[in-house]
Amino acid sequence: MLTEPEDNLRFQIGHVLFIDLVGYSKLLIEEQKERLSQLTSIVLATAQVRESPDEQIVRLPTGDGMALVFRNSSEEPARCALEMAEALKKHPEIPVRMGIHSGPVSEVTDVNGRTNIAGAGINMAQRVMDCGDAGHILLSQRVADDLAQYRQWAPRLHDLGEFEVKHGVRLHLVNLYAEQLGNSALPEKLKRDQAAALPVKAEPPPKSNFVRLVIVLVILAFIAIPALIFTPAIIQSWRGRPASSAIPLPANIPKKSVAVLPFDNLSRDPDNGFFTDGVQDEILTDLAKIADLKVISRTSVMQYKTRAQRNLRDIGQQLGVAHVVEGSVQRANSRVRVNAQLIDARTDAHLWAQTYDRDLADVFAIQSEIAKAIADQLQARLSPQEKAAIEQPPTTDVTAFDLYSRAKSLNISTSFGAIGRPNLLLAVDLLNQALVRDPSFFLAQCQLAYTHDQLYFLGFNHTAERLALAEAAVQAAFRLRPDAGEAHLARAENLYRGYLDYDGALAELEIARRTLPNDPRVFELIGYIARRQGKHEEGLRSLERALELDPRNFFTLQQIALSYSALRRYSEEAAVLDRALAIKPDDPETKVARALVELDWKADPRPLHQTIDSIREKNPAAIPNVADYWFLCALAERDAAGAANALAALGENTFGNDAMLFHRDFGEGLIARMTENEAKARAAFLAARREQEKRVQEQPNYGPALCVLGLTDAGLGRKEEALREGQRAIELLPVQKDFINGAHMIEYFAIIAAWTGEKDLACEQLAIATRLSAFGTISYGQLKLLPYWDPLRGDPRFEKIVASLAPKD
């Protein structure tokens, strides 16, 4: 008997996804072909299959399904399975079950002379799949153990236990499901096995033994409680809702993970603090380019700027990292001294330390050397491309770098309301100064593009001229480094914020991800795009992925809370805001947002009122930042004096939500209308109209500006103009183009119709807005309490909509 030479038996570990069409044999031949063709199209469209080189994936037809063998990691088949499950939601006529296993496979030559795959890995994946019903994604214990090491997977894994499969083989199975993906039910086969294994009912033990048994069980229960509390899968099964809603803190911390904490500024000049932050940030940015590392983003680490607050073990747990980097920078004349040290956060052991004392011009080389030394200590694989990216200095001009660092510090969203207009304009000026000094400063061009896009997107300067400035900066960045991930990220931001071109932005983000594996901005933007498309669940998943890389990012937590608000999942919104407040207990905007949950959910304005009073007493300087919440609360309570005080505290600031910005004169008109002072209301609305007309003239095709003008005209009784402006706003910004603001256009058009006496139109538009779900404005509490809706009160259609949003428990 001939045997194949040993070196031709090329066994390796394959990560197998086995896919099966349920009920395939019962279909007609034409139906079989059609279903299989549809399934093949869905599989080929998944990112894991579409983007994998031929040598990294093998596709095997199996008659009534297929098997995919991935080469790199068990995450690949799991991600592919979830993406397929998402696509299959639109095709209920294609019932599919899936099984995943990692095991040995080898290449063989089949009867047609083609290379194929065989081995225990394939066979076992099929056995895992065979245990499931339609919709199930089942995993072997081996795969589940690998995935459980990552926080994004752990909440989605649900242990089913051990079962006997074909040929007496026993398999430990785990069910993978998330949100509305997968099948959370216990597979029928496993139900039958469990029922068959139930023991015959036994006689109860004697009373004395029974008492002892109860005591033992109670003790065991108390021992088990801590494990239950911290097991996401069990929490999930109790609550009946995806465990992702809890946004669990890091459990299994990767060994190759690091956080670069803020460096100490040892220079005499405190202004050198920006330079010090820039040095630390560049080291962090260099490390973040290494795909083999998990690196925590800047926003989270900057919260540990005060060294007195640092407990490295606690920080490691809070950030989900095994290592931290500390350091200091001392700048004097033309010299710079940089000290850096790598510490094991689990043991406080110092693993590496180095001091660099050089000319100031060498500071960029120092940053690269530190990043490479840390990567080496963590035994991270470093590709030639990653090494080249780390070694490329951001600029050769230290002053330009300092200006850029100052601008970047102004450009970070830290709370609701994003970045203020003055900060954005100052950042533009600083970046332009940096680029005058060094026109080849690539990162400064990217940051400049982002800043112009923010000014445009947030409505501070929604003009063609501002958009042209953003585009010019993007083009300049591409001329400098056309292959850099930062350039593609800048273009994605521009396509999203400037044109609402979601497909174009997502294509750019896919390119950016390849060289920016640890950049949470990529996942944040994917999440924001999903929300603008009305895909709130998908947006939540992306924002939670961003949070894994930036776990103490206050703004991201707030954005996740907004997503829960849009979904009217108020208990989860409250939980996320509580987590944010655990990071910043005294943040006034988050405190009032947390109290607002009770108003939206239960029509109870008292917690918001109490929170505002507490801030007025303990932190009066913060009142202008929360005056719009105060104004909303006063309107809900029909407190005209309180509303007037809130407007006075608001000063020259606008109020409203997202891009729907109202001038304080409009607020005075609301108060006067609420108190039935028609003369005062008319004067206030006329003043507001003059201001809004200027804004519309500057931005004639900007839907939110036109919609506010329509509301103002409605307040003035100018019915035809108001309805025309409201309708035009919807045409300029339909929900298909921007789900969030498009929903607001419909909501405010409903108010325009109500104010102009068109109740049929108002109720029709309100019903549409209610079904769409935007950011918390169409809520039970706001419809029930706010005077905007007074003209509709008593109308059965309106009251039915309000009742449909009332809390069910």
Side-chain angles (χ1 to χ4, degrees):
M1 177 173 147
L2 295 175
T3 58
E4 191 174 7
E6 187 176 336
D7 56 2
N8 285 340
L9 293 173
R10 292 177 291 177
F11 280 94
Q12 57 181 304
I13 297 300
H15 309 286
V16 185
L17 170 59
F18 218 104
I19 306 163
D20 175 61
L21 269 166
V22 178
Y24 178 83
S25 61
K26 298 178 182 179
L27 299 173
L28 299 175
I29 293 176
E30 291 81 2
E31 291 175 323
Q32 289 179 345
K33 290 180 179 178
E34 181 185 340
R35 298 288 189 273
L36 200 55
S37 175
Q38 288 175 297
L39 178 61
T40 301
S41 298
I42 289 170
V43 171
L44 294 177
T46 62
Q48 284 69 32
V49 175
R50 188 177 67 246
E51 297 174 4
S52 293
D54 289 341
E55 66 273 12
Q56 295 296 324
I57 184 173
V58 178
R59 309 172 185 89
L60 302 175
T62 61
D64 56 354
M66 64 197 72
L68 306 175
V69 184
F70 296 89
R71 306 284 195 182
N72 292 325
S73 77
S74 52
E75 274 198 290
E76 290 179 300
R79 289 188 184 281
C80 185
L82 286 182
E83 192 172 344
M84 283 181 57
E86 179 73 44
L88 287 166
K89 284 163 59 178
K90 300 176 183 176
H91 297 279
E93 76 281 7
I94 310 177
V96 167
R97 58 181 178 172
M98 294 179 261
I100 302 175
H101 175 69
S102 296
V105 297
S106 64
E107 292 185 0
V108 297
T109 302
D110 64 21
V111 70
N112 295 312
R114 293 176 299 197
T115 299
N116 215 320
I117 290 283
I122 297 284
N123 298 335
M124 198 61 71
Q126 183 172 11
R127 290 174 184 174
V128 170
M129 179 206 69
D130 284 341
C131 293
D133 306 322
H136 276 123
I137 306 170
L138 300 185
L139 316 179
S140 67
Q141 182 67 53
R142 173 170 181 172
V143 173
D145 286 345
D146 289 344
L147 294 181
Q149 305 302 311
Y150 300 96
R151 197 154 49 94
Q152 68 266 35
W153 290 109
R156 301 171 176 178
L157 304 175
H158 308 274
D159 195 5
L160 297 176
E162 191 174 276
F163 298 88
E164 185 173 309
V165 295
K166 195 174 180 181
H167 303 313
V169 175
R170 295 196 66 80
L171 275 180
H172 197 121
L173 298 175
V174 175
N175 192 3
L176 169 64
Y177 60 89
E179 293 80 37
Q180 299 175 13
L181 305 180
N183 183 348
S184 61
L186 182 68
E188 289 299 320
K189 180 183 186 307
L190 306 189
K191 282 183 184 178
R192 291 194 297 271
D193 287 357
Q194 283 185 345
L198 286 176
V200 178
K201 187 175 181 181
E203 291 295 319
K207 187 172 183 180
S208 59
N209 290 338
F210 179 74
V211 172
R212 292 193 190 106
L213 177 62
V214 170
I215 293 171
V216 170
L217 289 175
V218 170
I219 293 170
L220 289 174
F222 276 105
I223 293 172
I225 282 172
L228 293 175
I229 291 172
F230 295 105
T231 304
I234 293 175
I235 293 173
Q236 161 106 2
S237 65
W238 285 347
R239 293 180 177 174
R241 191 179 285 282
S244 62
S245 63
I247 316 178
L249 291 169
N252 299 298
I253 296 176
K255 292 179 181 178
K256 297 181 185 180
S257 55
V258 64
V260 183
L261 302 183
F263 281 23
D264 293 330
N265 173 29
L266 302 184
S267 310
R268 291 183 178 180
D269 185 354
D271 284 346
N272 279 327
F274 292 107
F275 177 80
T276 299
D277 290 345
V279 171
Q280 171 247 354
D281 190 40
E282 282 305 304
I283 295 169
L284 187 160
T285 301
D286 284 344
L287 287 169
K289 293 172 182 173
I290 303 173
D292 198 32
L293 291 178
K294 175 188 175 183
V295 182
I296 300 302
S297 189
R298 180 176 190 249
T299 309
S300 287
V301 297
M302 290 306 287
Q303 295 174 32
Y304 303 100
K305 196 170 180 65
T306 304
R307 186 171 286 272
Q309 297 174 349
R310 292 184 185 175
N311 179 308
L312 297 187
R313 295 194 186 199
D314 288 347
I315 290 173
Q317 282 293 322
Q318 291 165 5
L319 299 180
V321 294
H323 304 89
V324 297
V325 176
E326 290 190 311
S328 63
V329 177
Q330 186 173 6
R331 177 178 171 182
N333 299 322
S334 62
R335 301 289 295 179
V336 64
R337 175 179 293 169
V338 180
N339 172 267
Q341 52 188 341
L342 177 67
I343 303 165
D344 189 321
R346 299 160 296 184
T347 63
D348 286 334
H350 285 60
L351 306 179
W352 169 87
Q354 185 68 46
T355 298
Y356 303 83
D357 196 343
R358 299 186 189 170
D359 288 338
L360 184 59
D362 287 339
V363 68
F364 306 115
I366 294 171
Q367 292 166 178
S368 298
E369 290 176 30
I370 291 173
K372 286 189 289 185
I374 292 168
D376 183 60
Q377 289 293 322
L378 297 178
Q379 299 180 340
R381 294 188 302 272
L382 199 60
S383 71
Q385 294 83 2
E386 290 168 345
K387 183 173 181 293
I390 289 172
E391 290 174 346
Q392 187 162 19
T395 177
T396 56
D397 189 304
V398 174
T399 303
F401 180 74
D402 199 16
L403 291 163
Y404 162 76
S405 299
R406 291 169 184 265
K408 196 171 181 181
S409 70
L410 292 168
N411 235 335
I412 297 175
S413 299
T414 56
S415 194
F416 288 119
I419 311 162
R421 183 173 182 271
N423 275 2
L424 288 170
L425 292 174
L426 178 55
V428 167
D429 183 54
L430 291 168
L431 291 164
N432 281 328
Q433 290 181 52
L435 288 164
V436 166
R437 294 189 63 90
D438 181 4
S440 64
F441 195 166
F442 167 73
L443 292 177
Q445 288 286 11
C446 294
Q447 193 69 29
L448 182 62
Y450 172 77
T451 311
H452 284 311
D453 278 327
Q454 284 282 74
L455 282 162
Y456 180 86
F457 182 73
L458 294 173
F460 295 134
N461 186 219
H462 196 85
T463 63
E465 292 78 12
R466 183 63 63 180
L467 192 54
L469 289 170
E471 286 184 25
V474 171
Q475 291 166 6
F478 267 93
R479 285 194 296 271
L480 291 168
R481 295 190 200 172
D483 298 325
E486 292 90 347
H488 289 281
L489 178 57
R491 179 175 281 169
E493 291 273 6
N494 181 246
L495 290 171
Y496 166 64
R497 300 188 189 281
Y499 299 97
L500 300 178
D501 179 357
Y502 305 132
D503 292 339
L506 288 171
E508 293 294 328
L509 288 169
E510 279 302 308
I511 300 171
R513 283 176 68 172
R514 297 170 194 166
T515 54
L516 302 174
N518 285 289
D519 197 324
R521 295 175 298 172
V522 173
F523 299 100
E524 283 175 15
L525 191 52
I526 292 172
Y528 297 153
I529 290 171
R531 292 197 311 198
R532 296 276 165 186
Q533 295 175 314
K535 303 173 184 175
H536 285 294
E537 294 283 2
E538 186 178 317
L540 265 173
R541 290 195 294 273
S542 292
L543 289 173
E544 289 172 4
R545 175 72 181 99
L547 200 65
E548 291 165 16
L549 296 167
D550 205 357
R552 308 267 298 172
N553 190 316
F554 200 64
F555 183 73
T556 303
L557 281 167
Q558 292 173 325
Q559 291 300 309
I560 290 172
L562 283 174
S563 289
Y564 282 128
S565 174
L567 292 165
R568 302 192 184 100
R569 285 162 57 175
Y570 297 115
S571 61
E572 288 149 302
E573 179 190 4
V576 173
L577 289 171
D578 286 341
R579 176 171 166 183
L581 286 169
I583 296 171
K584 289 187 179 181
D586 297 321
D587 184 75
E589 290 173 275
T590 307
K591 288 168 78 171
V592 293
R594 175 65 180 85
L596 182 63
V597 173
E598 303 304 315
L599 188 153
D600 283 332
W601 188 3
K602 303 171 184 175
D604 185 0
R606 290 172 297 177
L608 183 57
H609 189 132
Q610 291 162 4
T611 302
I612 294 290
D613 283 350
S614 175
I615 294 170
R616 289 172 65 194
E617 179 185 347
K618 298 175 182 177
N619 188 12
I623 281 296
N625 296 327
V626 297
D628 50 350
Y629 289 92
W630 184 7
F631 181 65
L632 179 73
C633 182
L635 289 181
E637 294 180 319
R638 307 302 172 113
D639 178 4
N645 290 334
L647 283 181
L650 192 69
E652 295 304 312
N653 295 329
T654 53
F655 67 94
N657 56 293
D658 210 23
M660 296 294 296
L661 301 175
F662 296 88
H663 193 267
R664 59 174 295 175
D665 288 326
F666 185 87
E668 290 176 355
L670 283 176
I671 298 170
R673 185 185 180 97
M674 184 173 67
T675 56
E676 300 181 355
N677 188 335
E678 292 303 322
K680 189 173 181 180
R682 182 170 183 80
F685 283 134
L686 279 171
R689 193 182 196 284
R690 285 192 291 270
E691 291 295 325
Q692 196 60 27
E693 255 191 323
K694 295 176 188 174
R695 193 175 179 217
V696 171
Q697 288 168 1
E698 292 171 355
Q699 307 168 86
N701 295 315
Y702 187 41
L706 197 61
C707 196
V708 172
L709 182 63
L711 279 164
T712 310
D713 277 335
L716 289 167
R718 301 172 61 164
K719 179 176 179 177
E720 298 304 320
E721 293 94 329
L723 291 171
R724 185 172 59 250
E725 288 152 356
Q727 184 63 56
R728 177 61 178 154
I730 292 175
E731 292 168 0
L732 286 170
L733 201 56
V735 289
Q736 296 86 349
K737 187 175 182 181
D738 180 345
F739 188 90
I740 295 172
N741 280 325
H744 287 326
M745 299 304 99
I746 296 171
E747 172 196 352
Y748 287 110
F749 186 45
I751 298 174
I752 290 171
W755 286 12
T756 56
E758 294 290 334
K759 290 189 177 183
D760 291 348
L761 178 61
C763 290
E764 170 195 293
Q765 294 299 306
L766 178 57
I768 295 171
T770 302
R771 289 195 298 272
L772 291 174
S773 294
F775 281 171
T777 52
I778 300 291
S779 69
Y780 170 66
Q782 296 202 30
L783 288 182
K784 189 173 180 66
L785 299 176
L786 291 182
Y788 295 108
W789 305 104
D790 283 356
L792 298 180
R793 301 205 186 279
D795 188 300
R797 295 165 297 181
F798 175 76
E799 300 300 340
K800 183 178 179 181
I801 292 171
V802 176
S804 72
L805 299 177
K808 301 301 184 290
D809 50 46

